């Protein structure tokens, strides 16, 4: 395992675009993500159709240090939500990218802050997308059994919850334990709780990717249920 610490960026930027039928206080010309990409990241066809009917753009963004990134992302999103609700608009999260549900949960659980990458030619690998908004590298898990993919996805959600809670004060490289409490909090929000059932993982950092490479040491099905 590499002893190289995970680099911490000086600043990070998060940005959301509110699309409206009428112009707001200013017009921001922002290249929007491709429709096919938004669909791949979980946006619904009705939301995509409605997005194309709203020609005006207002961007909401923040640039902060990584220690303040999660709070800043929540503040920026809530500002975008308020604009969208007042003007019957649609929000596009430029980080993931995907269309944001309005009203959005506040604070957002870990599962709402990233998406999974799916490669039909490499179904045994899990990759996250969107963690760079808080300055974290993405997570990569290889060797995932096809029939356990859903369980491994759950472990990644729990791990991301832990990473978001501990970053950037704690470097994530090394052994860790993802508990049922972490997984529940990752999907629903809140704190992890005292649940001791968990999956042991080993985290390394690969600067060539760059990403956190995670080896799952125990079967999630056997360890959690």
């Amino acid at each position: 395992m590499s002893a190289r610490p995970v680099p911490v960026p000086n600043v990070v930027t998060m940005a959301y675009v509110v699309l409206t039928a009428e112009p707001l206080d200013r017009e921001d010309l922002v290249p929007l993500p491709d429709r096919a990409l938004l669909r791949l990241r979980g946006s619904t066809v009705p939301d995509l159709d409605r997005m194309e009917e709203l020609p005006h753009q207002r961007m909401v963004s923040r640039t902060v240090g990584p220690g303040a990134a999660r709070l800043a992302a929540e503040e920026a999103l809530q500002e975008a939500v308020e604009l969208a609700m007042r003007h019957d608009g649609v929000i596009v999260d430029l980080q993931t990218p995907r269309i944001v549900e309005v009203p959005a949960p506040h604070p957002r659980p870990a599962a709402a802050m990233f998406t999974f990458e799916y490669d039909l030619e490499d179904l045994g690998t899990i990759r996250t997308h969107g963690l760079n908004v808080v300055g974290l590298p993405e997570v990569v898990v290889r060797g995932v059994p096809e029939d356990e993919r859903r369980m491994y996805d759950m472990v990644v959600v729990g791990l991301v919850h832990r990473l978001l809670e501990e970053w950037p004060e704690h470097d994530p490289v090394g052994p860790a334990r993802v508990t049922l409490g972490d997984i529940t909090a990752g999907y629903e929000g809140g704190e992890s709780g005292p649940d001791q059932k968990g999956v042991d993982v080993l985290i390394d950092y690969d600067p060539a990717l760059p990403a956190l490479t995670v080896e799952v040491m125990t079967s999630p099905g056997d360890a959690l249920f």
Side-chain angles (χ1 to χ4, degrees), residues 52-106:
E52 294 179 351
E53 298 171 356
L54 302 174
H56 299 284
Q57 302 177 3
R58 169 69 154 78
M59 187 167 74
V60 179
S61 65
R62 301 283 192 281
T63 298
V64 297
R70 192 167 185 185
L71 177 59
E74 292 294 333
E75 290 176 345
L77 178 57
Q78 288 308 304
E79 180 182 337
V81 166
E82 291 171 7
L83 285 171
M85 293 183 70
R86 284 202 305 268
H87 300 280
D88 194 25
V90 168
I91 303 171
V92 179
D93 176 346
L94 295 181
Q95 286 74 228
T96 1
R98 62 183 168 192
I99 295 175
V100 177
E101 175 188 356
V102 176
H106 179 64

Side-chain angles (χ1 to χ4, degrees), residues 34-45:
D34 180 75
R35 179 186 174 103
L37 179 58
L38 289 170
R39 184 72 183 100
L40 182 65
R41 298 280 163 75
S43 300
T44 67
V45 171

Side-chain angles (χ1 to χ4, degrees), residues 69-144:
R70 192 167 185 185
L71 177 59
E74 292 294 333
E75 290 176 345
L77 178 57
Q78 288 308 304
E79 180 182 337
V81 166
E82 291 171 7
L83 285 171
M85 293 183 70
R86 284 202 305 268
H87 300 280
D88 194 25
V90 168
I91 303 171
V92 179
D93 176 346
L94 295 181
Q95 286 74 228
T96 1
R98 62 183 168 192
I99 295 175
V100 177
E101 175 188 356
V102 176
H106 179 64
R108 285 179 298 167
M113 297 188 68
F114 75 97
T115 58
F116 287 107
E117 296 276 17
Y118 293 99
D119 184 347
L120 294 178
E121 297 182 357
D122 186 13
L123 294 176
T125 298
I126 295 174
R127 293 181 175 85
T128 66
H129 181 83
L131 298 182
N132 62 312
V133 73
V134 295
L136 271 166
E138 301 301 336
V139 171
V140 176
V141 184
R142 294 190 173 91
V144 178

Side-chain angles (χ1 to χ4, degrees), residues 158-159 162 175-179 182 195-201 218 223:
L159 176 60
R162 288 277 299 280
R177 187 173 177 83
V178 180
T179 68
D182 294 329
D195 197 324
Q196 296 303 305
K197 282 188 176 181
V199 175
D200 295 319
V201 301
T218 51

